[in-house]
Amino acid sequence: MSHFRDNSDEVDEVNYKTLSRFVMANTADQELTILMNAIAVACKATARACRKAGIANLFGMAGEQNSSGDDQKKLDVLSNDIFVNSLVNCHACAVLVSEENEEPIIVPAAMQGKYCVAFDPLDGSSNIDCNVSTGTIFGVYEKTIPGPGTVADILRKGQDLVVAGYCMYGAATELVICFQGRGVHRFALDPSIGEFIHTHANVKFPVDGGKKIYSCNEGNANLWDESCKEAVDFFKSGDKPYAMRYVGSMVSDVHRTLLYGGIFIYPADKKSKDGKLRVLYEGFPMAMIVEAAGGVASTGMFKGKIQRLMDIEPQNVHERCPVILGSPRDVAICLSYYEKAAKTA
């Protein structure tokens, strides 16, 4: 993983490695550059809203529920409006799917482009009121069907994604992006010039699996299947057990797992038999990033078989799935318990 020294506080700096410059240099796709600029603007506006939430009275509930039945907070609604407005008006999108909208958004024909975007505008919003890091997750498909955009353009396997990414709103605003076949890259928002600056190229999981950390909501352990319970029990056993870290914001937990190593687990359980995380705008983008960084992303035992997460064929835009992802070392341990159970079934 290479690192670029940020000279942005030096007034004589002339060589800014911005997101737009990176996209054009690596894809030569002007429409994709426009789309990524629209996503970047939406991320900046959402970061600003999160920073000013207390002052602007944006904490608290909006009094509605989203497509998944979750209670919406004021910042959920605002961030969704920001992303929809930015993406519709960039003239690079045909179809949008948001966690906050029950139905897909079909961009007006005169404004359509060749890309389709699925996104969770504010992941981890349950943490907003206590000032814990939140984030945005997105996945981008290129249309393959001629004519105006339809739902079929976005109801596709994860392996068809051309771009996946997330933006984390924490102590700093950081954008992590994976372009198909071009690795994982980190960009930090420089507030002095209002641009995302390329800081790390070809991000990879630690070669040895990294720190021994498992990340899951262990409060639901009694509802998990036996294989998941046994795997987590293994991580907690021995003279040097794994450390447990869990923020409750997928962006934060996956970001830590990507940089430090370990495993993130959000399994299906007795209450959510298909899992709780959404395939299109949570599972697929994170799986693409993790795999490109040398990790593994699986569903565990799901619908009768152990599956690579990216191979799921979604049937509806808000479909859910279990998620197990992280370093090959730790995901292999977890999946070994599912494989053992399958052999004895």
Side-chain angles (χ1 to χ4, degrees), residues 282-336:
E282 290 172 324
F284 279 169
M286 290 306 198
M288 180 178 179
I289 291 168
V290 165
E291 288 191 354
V296 178
S298 174
T299 62
M301 183 62 69
F302 183 50
K303 297 185 177 179
K305 59 183 179 179
I306 299 170
Q307 301 188 48
R308 175 183 177 232
L309 205 158
M310 294 281 276
D311 288 338
I312 293 174
E313 297 185 28
Q315 302 301 308
N316 67 77
V317 295
H318 298 296
E319 189 166 325
R320 300 171 185 258
C321 71
V323 173
I324 300 170
L325 56 79
S327 72
R329 176 195 68 195
D330 300 319
V331 175
I333 290 170
C334 187
L335 295 184
S336 70

Side-chain angles (χ1 to χ4, degrees), residues 27-79:
T27 70
D29 186 328
Q30 293 185 6
E31 194 166 341
L32 183 59
T33 303
I34 291 169
L35 170 60
M36 294 310 302
N37 184 64
I39 289 175
V41 168
C43 289
K44 294 174 199 175
T46 301
R48 174 179 177 271
C50 290
R51 286 196 309 271
K52 299 186 70 173
I55 298 170
N57 194 31
L58 290 173
F59 287 140
M61 309 304 294
E64 300 174 355
Q65 291 186 329
N66 64 15
S67 62
S68 302
D70 300 324
D71 291 331
Q72 287 181 313
K73 298 205 168 186
K74 293 176 184 178
L75 273 173
D76 281 319
V77 176
L78 177 60
S79 60

Side-chain angles (χ1 to χ4, degrees), residues 129-292:
D129 293 358
C130 59
N131 203 26
V132 171
S133 296
T134 55
T136 296
I137 310 171
F138 60 89
V140 179
Y141 292 91
E142 184 172 353
K143 274 174 49 52
T144 57
I145 304 172
T150 67
V151 179
D153 289 306
I154 204 166
L155 273 180
R156 294 153 65 186
K157 290 184 177 182
Q159 62 192 25
D160 291 341
L161 284 170
V162 294
V163 184
Y166 61 82
C167 188
M168 188 167 68
Y169 313 117
T173 299
E174 182 166 352
L175 189 60
V176 176
I177 301 178
C178 175
F179 294 86
Q180 193 176 74
R182 294 181 175 85
V184 179
H185 299 265
R186 294 170 63 187
F187 298 79
L189 179 61
D190 180 351
S192 68
I193 60 171
E195 291 283 355
F196 281 103
I197 304 298
H198 193 197
T199 58
H200 298 77
N202 299 314
V203 177
K204 294 290 184 181
F205 274 87
V207 175
D208 62 354
K211 295 183 179 181
K212 292 188 174 182
I213 298 172
Y214 73 97
S215 181
C216 60
N217 183 357
E218 213 165 345
N220 289 330
N222 288 339
L223 302 175
W224 296 343
D225 58 44
E226 289 304 314
S227 298
C228 189
K229 289 179 184 177
E230 290 173 0
V232 171
D233 284 344
F234 172 85
F235 294 136
K236 296 190 293 182
S237 65
D239 295 332
K240 294 183 178 179
Y242 282 49
M244 191 274 198
R245 300 285 185 271
Y246 185 68
V247 177
S249 163
M250 188 185 191
V251 168
S252 298
D253 285 315
V254 172
H255 188 66
R256 182 196 58 251
T257 303
L258 175 65
L259 300 187
Y260 292 173
I263 185 170
F264 171 81
I265 306 170
Y266 208 123
D269 59 36
K270 293 176 184 176
K271 287 193 303 182
S272 303
K273 297 187 184 302
D274 289 334
K276 193 169 182 182
L277 297 176
R278 272 63 56 140
V279 174
L280 281 181
Y281 43 82
E282 290 172 324
F284 279 169
M286 290 306 198
M288 180 178 179
I289 291 168
V290 165
E291 288 191 354

